[in-house]
Structure formats: structure tokens, C-alpha cells
Amino acid sequence: MDLENQKRVKEFAEEHGAENLVVLLGASEAEASGLAAETVTNGDPTYAGPLTGVQLGLLVYHVCEPNVKEEFDAAVYEEQISMMEMVIDVDEVVKEMEDIRGQYCKFLK
């Protein structure tokens, strides 16, 4: 997650309260998604950005997770995301997101 997006997430959490935010990721690799998820939950693991040492504990999901996919209009999902879903390892992404949420998320429902 780039430094500008880290800044935005931090500002939104301060303005609206971390408990009121959900981060939705769309990276094409589980490792990239995991790094971004860890950044918004446990702080920037690269120690380079505004979220260094900031444990927001945000609720974070990937757009291809089944429970997220259900929230989309099927036609919109088909048009915007389905091609990506065919080329990524969805099971690996889901496991990565579940692991990060289980370890660092403060707002699981």
C-alpha cells in the first residue's frame, strides 16, 4: 500500500472512527493483499509510511472473497471483477485475508 493511501486510511480512521471503516482490497496476489491488509490492521510492516506503528485493527476484505462477492450486483461483478477472479488463486487470497483478520482485526462481527 503506497504512502498516500496509508495517509488517507489513517485520516479516515481519525475522522470517522476505525470501528466504522471497512477496507476492500483488490490485489491480484495473496501476498500483496496480505501486506496491504497487515498495513491497515497492524501497522506498516515496511516501517516506511504513515501507518508505521499504528495498529488500526480495521476490518479488511478482498473483493474476491465469497462473502464480499455476494454483496455486489452480479452483473457489475461479472463486468468488473470476474476476469481477475479467473486468474488469481482465490483460495490463497481468502486464507491470507482470514489469517490477517484473525490476528489483527479489532472489529470482527
Side-chain angles (χ1 to χ4, degrees):
M1 176 174 287
D2 69 32
L3 304 182
E4 185 61 32
N5 283 335
Q6 285 190 40
K7 180 181 172 203
R8 286 184 193 129
V9 168
K10 185 176 180 186
E11 288 172 351
F12 284 135
E14 290 168 352
E15 182 178 345
H16 301 287
E19 70 279 3
N20 296 313
L21 298 181
V22 174
V23 176
L24 189 60
L25 302 173
S28 61
E29 296 177 355
E31 187 176 332
S33 295
L35 184 60
E38 185 175 347
T39 300
V40 300
T41 55
N42 193 46
D44 185 356
T46 68
Y47 300 101
L51 291 178
T52 296
V54 179
Q55 297 177 327
L56 294 175
L58 298 179
L59 196 53
V60 61
Y61 292 94
H62 190 280
V63 70
C64 289
E65 289 186 78
N67 55 333
V68 174
K69 183 178 176 178
E70 293 172 0
E71 298 297 322
F72 284 92
D73 176 280
V76 173
Y77 192 90
E78 178 68 28
E79 180 183 325
Q80 299 293 322
I81 301 168
S82 64
M83 289 292 280
M84 178 179 73
E85 187 179 39
M86 288 191 285
V87 298
I88 68 172
D89 186 338
V90 173
D91 292 337
E92 187 179 0
V93 169
V94 169
K95 181 174 180 348
E96 185 74 18
M97 294 295 96
E98 289 173 346
D99 289 349
I100 295 294
R101 282 193 300 269
Q103 288 181 352
Y104 304 120
C105 184
K106 297 177 185 176
F107 307 104
L108 284 174
K109 294 177 182 179

